[in-house]
Amino acid sequence: MSTVLNVLLPIFGLILVGYLCRRSNRLGPTAASEMNRFVVWLGLPALLFSLTAKADWAHIWQPGFLLAFTGGTLAVFLLTLAYRWKTTGSLVDASIDGLSAGYANTGYIGIPLCVLVLGEDGMAPALIASLIVVCLLFALAVVCIEVGLQSQKGLGGAIAQVSLALLKNPLVVAPVLGALWSFGGLSLAPALDEFLRLLGAATVPCALVSLGLFLAQRQSGPAKGAWPLVALKLVLQPLVTWFIAFVLLDLPPFWAHAALLLSALPTGTGPFMLAEYYQRQAALVSRAILFSTLGSLLTLSLILLLITP
């Protein structure tokens, strides 16, 4: 139990600090947005570039882990998408709900959690999971939304729009450039390595405080249906991932534990960003993020008790 507390308390403590700073107005209404911009455009790209530039790719390439984490993620997303589309008749809203149920917060919580639980090697599965969430799941949701909006450009135009958006996304570009740097056999100059280390070191605390600031923001509108999304995210997704990783594939303990841990993360902010961008009702998504973050204190604690000696 002490191990669980030592792992979770610093993470959720930083989230709580951000929440309290916003509630007490110590940080203003734009603080979450500005701090998030720092994380997205500077801190996390620097960290991702540095990691991939110095990564051992033979160690990172783990088809079993990819299948387990991706299988759980897509199963929950597609199940929620199909059900919500059938009940609401809106592919756009169903896509955002599906994303809320399957979008793990791998960047803000997954990276620090994996490092604390699994050591520095835990960065590898966290990086892979982050790329799956950003490059695969997020892109799939955007394509579904564009199709639901019946864009005159059609599916081809939607795919082109998604591809262009991904090429402009620093969280996609940074690890790709880092991988190319690594494959080119280049080493990081000491000054550049230290620059990236300093910038990347600010990522985790800023990301967690930013998440707390975001959760403290009030959202208007109906939030009915948030708890089913939370149950899908915190219960069904880990169960599916556990079945694939431990039963079907019998992965090595390190990769099986990483897949289970990352699948049990609460909902990230990606669905909220999409809801805001497409001017859809964001209250449901906001509640799902808040409730899943609070609920993950229990579910992550149970998983940590199972996987830690």
Side-chain angles (χ1 to χ4, degrees):
M1 180 60 72
S2 61
T3 301
V4 173
L5 292 177
N6 289 337
V7 169
L8 292 181
L9 283 181
I11 291 174
F12 285 93
L14 285 170
I15 295 174
L16 179 61
V17 166
Y19 184 91
L20 294 177
C21 283
R22 180 67 201 100
R23 285 297 193 185
S24 62
N25 210 32
R26 294 296 184 273
L27 293 175
T30 62
S33 175
E34 296 305 320
M35 194 171 288
N36 185 64
R37 285 176 181 270
F38 168 81
V39 172
V40 170
W41 287 98
L42 292 175
L44 194 50
L47 180 61
L48 294 175
F49 177 87
S50 179
L51 290 171
T52 52
K54 297 185 291 186
D56 180 358
W57 287 93
H59 177 63
I60 285 183
W61 175 244
Q62 298 290 332
F65 172 83
L66 284 169
L67 183 59
F69 182 79
T70 306
T73 299
L74 289 183
V76 170
F77 171 77
L78 294 175
L79 177 65
T80 309
L81 174 70
Y83 177 76
R84 293 292 290 161
W85 190 8
K86 180 179 179 181
T87 56
T88 66
S90 170
L91 180 57
V92 177
D93 293 332
S95 301
I96 294 175
D97 288 347
L99 200 61
S100 298
Y103 192 99
N105 197 338
T106 54
Y108 285 10
I109 298 180
I111 289 177
L113 183 62
C114 280
V115 171
L116 286 172
V117 175
L118 304 172
E120 287 299 322
D121 289 342
M123 190 65 74
L127 173 61
I128 298 170
S130 296
L131 293 176
I132 292 171
V133 168
V134 173
C135 297
L136 176 62
L137 183 63
F138 197 78
L140 179 60
V142 173
V143 170
C144 291
I145 290 172
E146 291 292 341
V147 171
L149 292 174
Q150 297 180 347
S151 171
Q152 294 181 352
K153 296 179 180 180
L155 180 59
I159 294 175
Q161 181 177 343
V162 172
S163 300
L164 182 61
L166 290 176
L167 289 175
K168 294 180 179 179
N169 190 324
L171 303 184
V172 176
V173 174
V176 169
L177 291 178
L180 293 175
W181 188 285
S182 176
F183 292 149
L186 301 173
S187 59
L188 294 175
L192 177 59
D193 191 22
E194 180 64 9
F195 169 79
L196 293 172
R197 186 192 70 79
L198 290 172
L199 195 55
T203 299
V204 171
C206 287
L208 294 174
V209 171
S210 173
L211 179 58
L213 292 167
F214 164 75
L215 293 176
Q217 295 175 350
R218 299 184 184 277
Q219 297 295 327
S220 60
K224 183 181 179 180
W227 282 112
L229 298 179
V230 172
L232 288 166
K233 179 70 202 69
L234 297 183
V235 179
L236 182 60
Q237 187 173 345
L239 283 176
V240 174
T241 303
W242 168 83
F243 181 76
I244 297 173
F246 287 84
V247 180
L248 287 184
L249 302 180
D250 192 21
L251 295 180
F254 174 85
W255 292 100
H257 292 166
L260 180 60
L261 194 61
L262 288 162
S263 69
L265 294 171
T267 303
T269 56
F272 179 81
M273 290 187 290
L274 271 191
E276 289 282 287
Y277 179 78
Y278 286 101
Q279 299 180 341
R280 314 299 290 191
Q281 180 56 254
L284 174 60
V285 179
S286 178
R287 297 298 192 284
I289 295 172
L290 174 60
F291 296 160
S292 66
T293 301
L294 295 175
S296 67
L297 274 169
L298 174 61
T299 55
L300 287 175
S301 296
L302 292 175
I303 289 174
L304 287 172
L305 287 174
L306 290 175
I307 68 175
T308 54

